Amino acid sequence: MAGGTVSRTAHFALHRLVLDANSAAAAVNPIASSGPDSLPSVQGSQALFAVHEVWLGAMVPKRWAKRSVTRHLLRRQIYAVAQDFAAQLPPNGAYVVRLRAAFDPKRFVSASSEPLRQAVRSELQQLFGYAVRKLGGAGPAAAANLAAPGVLA
């Protein structure tokens, strides 16, 4: 999150850290030997998942999503939407999607309801759509992705 915020919506924020070639190679190719002298002098960036040459992480705090069912639903939606947009994002970056506000429990009574899934998915598509436009990704493909109805995970 130290790299800065790329885009925001009402409930989510997308952070990006630009990785240089050396730190990305160190994260992908760890040192095979062991012992006290085997540690690298500089620690490379560590990301959670690589999706199409883009490193992605999801941060869904208990503060904003109290139930485990809701947190897992949000993470699955984040990874599903990110996979749709990964080819359009610049490849030399590590991204973190952060939940920054709770969804209204009065409006979404069930933690895994279909209306909540649709609301989360549409907001995540907006979030990644803003990021693609801001970072100079593929314009027409990004617009097509926003309009395409995806499979809800």
Side-chain angles (χ1 to χ4, degrees), residues 116-153:
L116 178 60
R117 288 176 195 247
Q118 291 174 351
V120 168
R121 187 168 194 90
S122 67
E123 194 166 328
L124 286 169
Q125 287 175 336
Q126 287 177 357
L127 180 80
F128 281 101
Y130 295 152
V132 166
R133 285 190 292 275
K134 184 176 180 180
L135 296 172
N145 237 349
L146 284 174
V151 177
L152 298 177

Side-chain angles (χ1 to χ4, degrees), residues 24-94:
V28 174
N29 300 323
I31 296 175
S33 63
S34 61
D37 295 330
S38 65
L39 295 176
S41 59
V42 177
Q43 180 68 34
S45 298
Q46 295 177 352
L48 298 177
F49 296 97
V51 180
H52 297 285
E53 302 297 325
V54 173
W55 292 91
L56 177 71
M59 192 170 101
V60 184
K62 284 184 181 180
R63 176 180 183 184
W64 301 122
K66 301 284 186 208
R67 298 185 61 196
S68 175
V69 175
T70 307
R71 290 192 305 274
H72 285 95
L73 173 129
L74 293 172
R75 280 192 197 100
R76 284 192 307 270
Q77 291 292 326
I78 289 168
Y79 292 127
V81 173
Q83 224 168 10
D84 295 341
F85 284 91
Q88 300 166 14
L89 293 170
N92 61 341

